[in-house]
Amino acid sequence: MAPFRGKPVLAHVVDVVRDAQAANLIADAWAVVPGEDSQLRSLVQQSGLIPVPNDNPGLGISHSLRLGLAALATSCGGCLGAAIVLLGDQPLVRLDAVGALIQGWRDGRGPVLRPRYASTPEVPGHPVLLERSTWSLVERISGDRGLGALLRPGEPGVGVLELPGGNPDIDTAGDLLTLEGPNP
């Protein structure tokens, strides 16, 4: 629950999800949280998102992805056509990125869509939109690896949307300090 600009890092991501709901871009939203972290679970619940407990976060992001997509798959009997995967350590994620992914999917730009940000064109961007037909790919990953190795830009079925700016993630205390910028 590291603070960023006066609130927890995850709260910034949750705010974008809530804004996407308010804009009718998405309906329901789930968030995978460590099972023992009552503060994160509470933040998610208070925001109106559905918490998905991860009782073994040591298994890495691959496990979190499997849990999240499994929760989505059972939520409405398979009625969801796609999911957008946001990362909880990217507090600068923008609503326009979510909207661009959804519009790109509706326009038939591919079953997997990811942004390429102008400030970091060499880094595969997030969030990622995954059409339901691709969800089984999570069975091919393990440990602290996401789908990036399987969903490289330029691979068949992986559409890339060019977006301005960037969406940095916070992996270390140094990353957080860099993102916060100099103290006033």
Side-chain angles (χ1 to χ4, degrees), residues 50-82:
I50 303 163
V52 177
N54 180 350
D55 291 328
N56 201 343
L59 293 176
I61 194 168
S62 62
H63 186 61
S64 293
L65 279 166
R66 274 194 287 286
L67 290 171
L69 291 175
L72 294 176
T74 60
S75 69
C76 66
C79 69
L80 299 175

Side-chain angles (χ1 to χ4, degrees), residues 78-98:
C79 69
L80 299 175
I84 296 183
V85 178
L86 291 95
L87 301 179
D89 65 352
Q90 295 185 330
L92 299 182
V93 65
R94 302 184 324 253
L95 181 61
D96 68 305
V98 173

Side-chain angles (χ1 to χ4, degrees), residues 13 16-17 26 28-32 61-70 72 82-90 93-94 97-98 101-102 111-115 117 124-132 134-135 138 141 145-148 151 167:
V13 179
V16 170
V17 172
I26 62 172
D28 294 321
W30 291 256
V32 179
I61 194 168
S62 62
H63 186 61
S64 293
L65 279 166
R66 274 194 287 286
L67 290 171
L69 291 175
L72 294 176
I84 296 183
V85 178
L86 291 95
L87 301 179
D89 65 352
Q90 295 185 330
V93 65
R94 302 184 324 253
V98 173
L101 291 169
I102 293 168
V112 175
L113 294 173
R114 64 183 326 150
Y117 293 100
H126 288 90
V128 176
L129 182 138
L130 302 170
E131 188 172 271
R132 173 70 189 237
T134 68
W135 294 2
V138 297
I141 58 174
R145 291 176 32 140
L147 291 168
L151 304 176
N167 184 27

Side-chain angles (χ1 to χ4, degrees), residues 9-64:
V9 169
L10 180 62
H12 295 273
V13 179
V14 168
D15 286 349
V16 170
V17 172
R18 290 177 51 204
D19 291 346
Q21 289 176 307
N24 292 317
L25 294 173
I26 62 172
D28 294 321
W30 291 256
V32 179
V33 295
E36 74 284 350
D37 195 326
S38 60
Q39 286 183 307
L40 285 181
R41 187 175 51 252
S42 178
L43 181 137
V44 166
Q45 286 175 317
Q46 289 174 6
S47 298
L49 281 66
I50 303 163
V52 177
N54 180 350
D55 291 328
N56 201 343
L59 293 176
I61 194 168
S62 62
H63 186 61
S64 293

Side-chain angles (χ1 to χ4, degrees), residues 101-178:
L101 291 169
I102 293 168
Q103 190 59 51
W105 181 64
R106 288 179 178 152
D107 291 344
R109 303 243 348 237
V112 175
L113 294 173
R114 64 183 326 150
R116 180 177 9 236
Y117 293 100
S119 67
T120 54
E122 70 287 351
V123 177
H126 288 90
V128 176
L129 182 138
L130 302 170
E131 188 172 271
R132 173 70 189 237
S133 64
T134 68
W135 294 2
S136 63
L137 289 173
V138 297
E139 299 308 321
R140 295 175 43 196
I141 58 174
S142 63
D144 207 22
R145 291 176 32 140
L147 291 168
L150 302 176
L151 304 176
R152 292 185 201 135
E155 294 286 328
V158 180
V160 176
L161 303 175
E162 304 292 337
L163 294 178
N167 184 27
D169 63 334
I170 298 173
D171 292 326
T172 67
D175 293 341
L176 183 59
L177 288 172
T178 299

